[in-house]
Every structure is written in structure tokens, then in C-alpha cells.
Amino acid sequence: MNKDVIIDRVAEILKETPSAQDIVKKGADRDRRFHYLATHMVNKALKKDALVLSENGMGIAILFKTSKKDGNFWNDIFQELGLVFKVTGVKNALKILKNQKYIKNQRPQEGEYLYCWFWGIVQGNRGADTQIGKEMKDEFLRRADLYNIPLYAETRIRKNVIVYQRFGFELFNTWDRPDGHKMWFLRYVPKALKEKQEKS
């Protein structure tokens, strides 16, 4: 699929995402800022072989195989100042860094894991009848089972928590953020890994 089409779709999904709405500075040219952020995310996903698309291309996710020692948003802010000037603004960037530190501390401090950095379905393609969500969920869990490593995600949307739990994720932490919003942290642990952990 054409990269520009993927970027446009990610930008549209980001406009509805609470975390992205916080990251992207308000004011004129906000659409352009969302597009710049989407471009950054898709490029990073392609570089790390982390882009997951549904069969029809309307479901898009970024699923990193990573560990604590890998780079994160801290590095991105300083390596790509364009994110500060064109997307977040300096004041927002400092707030983001503080939140990211807490968020990353919820993930494994040792060993590899999968991290769902982004997951969305283009408007008009959602709902149980489309099966896009199930198709993508099956792919996420397939990868976690294949690598036999846990899969982590977080959300600020309560109904997403229910969907994740239905897919086999467990809720392991809830955070009352400094901005007054809640964030839920979830993980999926492959059956083989869970059995190994129980034995040790």
C-alpha cells in the first residue's frame, strides 16, 4: 500500500486519539501538525518493521518488538527537534517527557516484549461486522505467541479496556494522570510463557 495513504489514514485516526490531541499543539495549522506526527510514526514503524495493516488497509497498528535499552520518545524529542517545533511545542514536550517516563516504567525492565504504540481503525470501518479489529488482534497475539514474549498496551479510553480484556489482555495498573485523566495499562502473556513463569 502507498505510504502516503497510510500516513493520511494515521493522521485522521490521531485526530480522534486523546493522547495525540494532548501531544499536538493547538492553534492554526493543527491538521498539518497531525500529519507531521503521523509521518514520523509511520517512518519509524517502517524502519523497525513494526507496521501492521489489516487486509483492507483500514486498520493500522504499530507494534514494536523492543526492550528497556531501546530508544524511546526521550531520544526522539532531542534527535528530531522538528517534533518540538512542528508538533508539540516546547511546553508540551516537557510535559510529554514527564508522562512518558512513568508510562515506560510500567513495561518490563528486563527482556524483550512487544509494545502496541498505536492502533486504530479508519472511521466508517469500525464495528463487529467489519471484523477488522478481530483480524488485527489475532495478528498481535500471533506475534506474541510466536516470539513467546508479553505484549503491552495502554489506553485512555475506558471502552478500549473492555475490548482489550475480551481479547485476552489483563489490566495490571490504572494511573490517575496529573492532567486529571485516567490511563489503563494492559498486557497479554502467551500461555507457554505464563506456564514457564508459574513453574519457576
Side-chain angles (χ1 to χ4, degrees), residues 27 40 42 51 67 77 93-94 97 102 115 119 133 156 163 174 195:
H40 165 78
V42 171
L51 193 67
S67 68
I77 284 288
L94 297 172
L97 294 179
Y102 180 90
Y115 174 55
W119 179 18
R156 282 174 49 190
V163 173
T174 303
E195 287 172 354

Side-chain angles (χ1 to χ4, degrees), residues 68-87:
K68 187 183 179 182
K69 61 180 186 250
D70 277 354
N72 59 18
F73 200 83
W74 285 83
N75 306 87
D76 292 339
I77 284 288
F78 297 111
Q79 287 172 6
E80 301 196 25
L81 288 173
L83 281 173
V84 174
F85 296 117
K86 296 184 180 181
V87 177

Side-chain angles (χ1 to χ4, degrees), residues 108 112-115 144 148-152 187-190 193 197:
E112 285 191 313
Y113 60 93
L114 284 170
Y115 174 55
N148 201 30
I149 56 177
L151 166 57
Y152 283 75
R187 70 183 160 218
Y188 166 79
V189 181
L193 180 60
Q197 289 171 343

